[in-house]
Amino acid sequence: MSAEEAPGLYEALATIAAAARAAYADGSNLRVRSSGIVHAVVMTRWLGGERMPGPACMVGVSGWDPGAAHPDRGAVTCRRCLKLTTQESADEQLELFAVTDPEPGGRPGGGHGD
């Protein structure tokens, strides 16, 4: 590819990416081809450094085919996308292991350091 061909290629990629971004600008989710699974959308890096809408879970979308994904107004049904986009309460600490009440004169969990 010559240096003169590259600007035309990058312009074409930019046009395709801009059209894809516009298709999701209304807050649509994403469906891949005829799949029944609806994904949350994030912007991903595409060819030529362009940003394209893609599934939040980063599942493969038939290579780099921008026509494989379609806007969908349905609710997100992808479990991975839901897990990634669900906000958990910041003041809730997850338990690393089960905590038991200390025995009288012992250490938590019932151990005595034997």
Side-chain angles (χ1 to χ4, degrees):
M1 175 184 324
S2 71
E4 290 120 20
E5 292 176 24
L9 173 63
Y10 289 118
E11 288 172 8
L13 292 174
T15 300
I16 292 168
R21 289 190 303 269
Y24 293 88
D26 65 354
S28 289
N29 292 313
L30 180 146
R31 186 175 42 82
V32 179
R33 298 204 186 274
S34 61
S35 170
I37 298 172
V38 179
H39 300 272
V41 176
V42 296
M43 289 298 138
T44 59
R45 190 167 305 280
W46 190 54
L47 297 171
E50 290 294 328
R51 305 294 274 170
M52 289 281 284
C57 65
M58 299 299 171
V59 68
V61 181
S62 188
W64 292 62
D65 179 7
H70 305 281
D72 192 299
R73 295 299 294 164
V76 173
T77 58
C78 171
R79 287 184 175 182
R80 289 180 68 195
C81 286
L82 287 169
K83 188 173 184 177
L84 291 169
T85 58
T86 301
Q87 297 296 324
E88 301 223 2
S89 174
D91 58 338
E92 187 175 314
Q93 177 65 41
L94 297 176
E95 188 175 308
L96 295 177
F97 50 88
V99 178
T100 59
D101 290 331
E103 292 179 9
R107 294 181 9 208
H112 293 281
D114 302 330

